[in-house]
Amino acid sequence: MTKTLYAEFTVKPGSEARVAEMMRELTEHVRREPGNQLFLPYTRETNPREYFVFEVYEDDAAFQEHISADYGARFNGELADHIEGDGSVLTWLRPVD
């Protein structure tokens, strides 16, 4: 079964350009992962500091490979300095049968 989630976070004022650059770089890496089916980062139309990232992975093993990637760890390590709160809020999704 696929692993589907969305991640949300809010960028601190003044960090918008850096986080946008980081997100573009991360997106390139994640979309090349063999088990990634979708990786779609968005910002809220009414507040571009608010990010919403929709992610779909082939299965749990593909997601585990994703979260163990070194580029993801680097991204999350730096992102922590640029966002409000303690980190991204993850929401796990399940298809409607």
Side-chain angles (χ1 to χ4, degrees):
M1 175 160 54
T2 60
K3 291 291 279 189
T4 305
L5 70 140
Y6 63 88
E8 296 177 275
F9 58 87
T10 301
V11 176
K12 293 177 181 176
S15 290
E16 297 91 345
R18 178 61 187 140
V19 172
E21 178 183 353
M22 291 168 56
M23 184 58 69
R24 284 190 292 274
E25 292 171 5
L26 180 68
T27 299
E28 288 180 24
H29 285 291
V30 174
R31 287 180 177 170
R32 287 195 297 261
E33 293 174 6
N36 177 259
Q37 295 181 346
L38 282 173
F39 190 84
L40 302 171
Y42 292 89
T43 59
R44 188 176 302 273
E45 191 171 305
T46 57
N47 183 355
R49 291 190 307 112
E50 293 180 17
Y51 273 72
F52 176 98
V53 184
F54 183 69
E55 306 177 44
V56 180
Y57 300 89
E58 199 170 275
D59 53 23
D60 190 54
F63 179 73
Q64 292 303 317
E65 188 173 323
H66 164 72
I67 62 172
S68 65
D70 61 340
Y71 49 82
R74 286 192 307 272
F75 173 86
N76 287 320
E78 184 176 349
L79 185 67
D81 295 334
H82 296 289
I83 63 172
E84 298 174 355
D86 294 332
S88 298
V89 175
L90 304 181
T91 300
W92 297 97
L93 303 172
R94 183 179 327 173
V96 176
D97 294 328

